[in-house]
Amino acid sequence: MEDINPADYALLAADLKDPFKFEGEINAQASSTGFAITTSKGLERQNDSFLELTQEVSIEGMPEDCRGFLSLYVAVFDSSEKAEAFCQEHFQDFGFTEDFSGYTPGYNGLGDPRLEGKGASSTGGHIVQFENMVARIYELGCINEIPKGSVAAFARLWLDKVSKIKSPEKPDLHLDPDHIYLSYHKDNNLLQTEISADSQAVAVEVKNMGTVEAKDVRVQLYLKKGEDLQPIGQPAYVGDIPAGSTKSGTAFWDLEGKNAEGAVLQAQAFMLNEKDANEEDNNASIAVNIYYAFNGNRAYSWIDDTYRFDNYGFEGRETEEMVEGLLATIVGNIQADGNFLSAMQRLLFPSTYMRFWNYSIESMEVGAGGHCYGMSATSALYFTNTGSSPLSKPTSQMSLEEASTNIAIYHRAQMLPLWTAMISDFRFFQRDQSPAKCHQAVKDALKDSREPVIIEFFGRIGNKTAGHAVLAYKLIEVQGREPVIYVYDPNFPVSKAKPPRSMPQITLEISNNNWKNPAYMGYMWAYASAISAHPVFRQIPLEDVNALVPSLKKSLYEMAEVLRKANAIMAVLRCPADAVFTDVQGRQTGIVDGQVVNEIPGAEVLADGDVEIYMLPAEGSYSLFIDATDQGMVDLDVIRTEDESAGITSFQDMAVQTGAQMTGTIQAGGEIANLQSGSESIPPSLDTTVDLSGFAGEALDKDPAEGSTSGDEVEAQEELIMEVNTLGGVGNAPTSPVQFTLDRPYTITRIRTYHWNYGSGQTPGTIAIQDASGNQYGPWAATGELGMGGVQDAYWMVEPGAALPSGVYTLVDSDPDTWSQNSETGGRGVAHIWGIPSQSEVGTVQSCDWSGTWNTDWGTMQLQQSGDKVTGNYTHDQGRIDGTAFGSQLVGTWSEAPSYSPPDDGGDLEIVMSEDCQSFSGSWRYGSEGGWSGGWTGSRQ
């Protein structure tokens, strides 16, 4: 033993080749063991001494935060018989062979000729016995990230050393299942553009782990059925691969019009004129499902079935027509006489128009919205039913002028859930939302009917509401990976998504309740869970229309109630014309020489352009002047309130030429007898009153997609807790506090304050709530929303999720100098507060706090709670947590090394504890703006 030099059996720095690097030191010692050995006397159990040594090597090229190592253990005996006996003793339970049998003398799992007659090795090379030596190789660190074949390559290096016979200078091709790609969401040169959905692009990366260049490399794809391999097409050319390098080859898998379900795709790398050093790692396979749109004759084509022009925005007239069409469809399904239906449609128009117009402006400003629904829907319809196309040519060859009419029609048919959400101030959305539900809806459609489906998602960028729709036509599921959906995105026609950009796609990170897309698509603003899928509608579904009626009725009642409280009337002019209202003192409100003028106290111009909407004090009388700006048909509606009724006087379809003028007089209270056009007196087309008393109880907060609700669902509905509102002219700086009383515990879901600031709006600050003892909840950072007339940041909105016990509270706004108020509000700031009532006092709802140790997605987390303040740390990048507890909810920030600052190393965090206080779930994001970046879950240790 004293004559043995450990350096003869270890791998020194000079013995190693890339990617292996010598680490630390070699530890050697004498040891002893007992084993059974055959002697001249038969099988005997002997104790014997041997040399054992250990060392570690690192593997270059692995991520710094997830490094991998190989540990080498070597035992040296004085005979090969003892080395074999050692293996028999210690490796009988080791999966030594391909069928996982134990140590088998003479078995050459490495396929190394130096072992023939001199030793044995396990499959993969983890155990090697050569003559009187035994090597055991372990993976350490991030073992799942260690390249496949590393152990075998390291074992051969050890054999180079101890056998003193160099392994043949050969290339060694290596395939890994993780490097077989059917999709790739980053810019790349791996996957080629698919001509049609049934021509599946497959990229395979091949690594040469050998010592010399691999020449003329090919990859053959197979469809594996049991033990049989069915070749897919011809081998893909990869080319020459230098030693230690990686190259890829791309082939196309012809699905022949059929979905691939439960398929096993195998790839094999080979060289035409040379033998591989180790052919056992030349094969890799993945289990896949592929579902795609097919119309009976052909598969959907991203090349031929999509428009070449970009998504485009709305003009005012088109918005007017869309709102009119939707309301006509909805109101037309109400059982009532014609006057009532006509009055309802016109009464509902102004508030509905303003909501949609503001949403459209915001969405297009942040690169979303527009005609995405209509473009996606018509692309699908022309594919599934070629007879529905207005032209006998592919969609890709249609111009915007040729396609726009049908796009507008089908756009409206897809948008009912969006209308529902806007009517309820986005408190709910009609579709089933979440990445998991979206995945299932897309899968069901492409698997069963094989028709493409609409995917829609929503979110915010700063104070901008954003939404978008794309067309899903292909779903790729690879076992062990997140599902990927190929989409047609009207924002990115073929010309904008050429290689190296990947084809437009969505990856559903179901395990994190999140989703992502290629960076160039830029939808990081979308909420993590606000994604859903639905079929393409050829017309607005009747059941959805009927379900929306109650919400519209309540919306109308609320608008009338605001007018009543403000003692105001509303006038709506639909162009081509401009209106000017003049009071008895000569002050004007309207459009003068193309400019908005508002001189009448308490009046507001709520919308201008193709549709003009005005609010005027009801106690005044006004001279009305209408000036036609183009040839066309002009409509005027004057809306007033009478007790619990809404009255409307409507002048409809008045033909005008450019420069034509009409006049009229609006009496106090909103009565108007006629309009005068020259010597012609024009009577109203409709003058009626609608009783709204039954509209007040309509369930706006109930999701119209649902039927009857259980008791638990009713309890969870949001309520308007407090309202300070006005439609009158407002000033700044409230003179009285905004106080409210809770008669039972509530979870405060939303708070909105108004900062008109004389039409300038105000950059959002914070909102808080203070109880009678001076304790404060919050403050919470607000986001801005459009106000009347499209004023930016007029509304401030927060969503606290704070649990409050019963009591008296005061609302605290960080900028009272711009907070809107008037005499009608009693000097109080304009504000709304919504919440969900609890069943018991807040103190009894949550009996445990956040203190303790948690196992989370980002490592072990230690939290400490003192009062409502929560601080802590977690293992990933030495992370820190700082937040405030509101009952079961923790709202705060996360930060990590190196800078501990947003937006790269910090941001917002919102998590909610389970009822049993043993787990939590929630979301995090970079910085404090935009949608959530991912989910965060944890459980107590």
Side-chain angles (χ1 to χ4, degrees), residues 698-722:
E698 299 288 356
L700 182 63
D701 292 329
K702 176 179 177 296
D703 185 336
E706 300 174 358
S708 60
T709 58
S710 67
D712 289 341
E713 290 171 326
V714 172
E715 291 168 3
Q717 288 182 359
E718 185 182 62
E719 298 178 2
L720 179 61
I721 297 173
M722 189 279 303

Side-chain angles (χ1 to χ4, degrees), residues 104-131:
T104 304
Y107 183 81
N108 190 354
L110 275 176
D112 194 298
R114 293 169 294 185
L115 293 175
E116 298 298 330
K118 292 187 177 182
S121 67
S122 65
T123 300
H126 287 83
I127 298 169
V128 180
Q129 179 252 316
F130 179 75
E131 296 181 340

Side-chain angles (χ1 to χ4, degrees), residues 285-422:
S285 60
I286 55 175
V288 303
N289 296 322
I290 303 175
Y291 306 97
Y292 58 93
F294 189 80
N295 65 9
N297 294 315
R298 63 178 181 85
Y300 184 92
S301 170
W302 183 60
I303 304 298
D304 296 328
D305 293 313
T306 63
Y307 296 107
R308 289 294 180 269
F309 51 83
D310 284 2
N311 189 10
Y312 56 102
F314 283 89
E315 300 295 334
R317 179 58 185 166
E318 186 180 0
T319 304
E320 176 189 350
E321 292 173 349
M322 179 168 291
V323 174
E324 286 177 342
L326 179 82
L327 292 176
T329 301
I330 295 172
V331 174
N333 282 280
I334 300 175
Q335 299 299 314
D337 63 57
N339 272 355
F340 175 85
L341 297 180
S342 179
M344 280 288 294
Q345 184 174 337
R346 304 191 82 82
L347 286 169
L348 287 165
F349 177 83
S351 61
T352 309
Y353 174 86
M354 284 189 292
R355 288 174 188 269
F356 182 72
W357 181 241
N358 287 341
Y359 169 81
S360 299
I361 292 172
E362 289 185 351
S363 288
M364 288 306 294
E365 284 180 353
V366 296
H371 286 78
C372 51
Y373 282 94
M375 294 175 69
S376 298
T378 49
S379 171
L381 292 172
Y382 299 160
F383 165 73
T384 55
N385 180 8
T386 55
S388 62
S389 175
L391 300 169
S392 57
K393 57 182 174 181
T395 303
S396 59
Q397 296 180 17
M398 293 184 190
S399 67
L400 173 57
E401 183 180 3
E402 294 170 331
S404 59
T405 299
N406 273 10
I407 288 174
I409 292 172
Y410 286 107
H411 186 86
R412 187 171 68 219
Q414 316 308 310
M415 291 194 68
L416 195 65
L418 178 58
W419 293 102
T420 304
M422 285 190 292

Side-chain angles (χ1 to χ4, degrees), residues 773-845:
S773 300
N775 299 314
Q776 191 173 92
Y777 296 81
W780 304 286
T783 57
E785 297 181 353
L786 291 178
M788 294 297 185
V791 174
Q792 297 282 348
D793 297 327
Y795 285 111
W796 291 10
M797 176 71 80
V798 296
E799 299 180 357
L804 273 61
S806 57
V808 178
Y809 296 90
T810 302
L811 194 62
V812 181
D813 187 292
S814 66
D815 193 355
D817 290 341
T818 63
W819 194 358
S820 300
Q821 58 85 28
N822 63 12
S823 58
E824 184 184 346
T825 68
R828 296 175 298 162
V830 176
H832 294 76
I833 301 176
W834 292 267
I836 298 173
S838 305
Q839 293 302 300
S840 59
E841 286 296 324
V842 173
T844 65
V845 173

Side-chain angles (χ1 to χ4, degrees), residues 897-929:
S899 70
Y900 290 96
S901 300
D904 295 330
D905 297 314
D908 292 344
L909 168 73
E910 291 187 12
I911 54 179
V912 179
M913 199 185 303
S914 62
E915 291 184 4
D916 63 2
C917 304
Q918 297 304 304
S919 63
F920 69 77
S921 62
S923 302
W924 64 274
R925 65 183 166 198
Y926 292 105
S928 58
E929 294 185 348

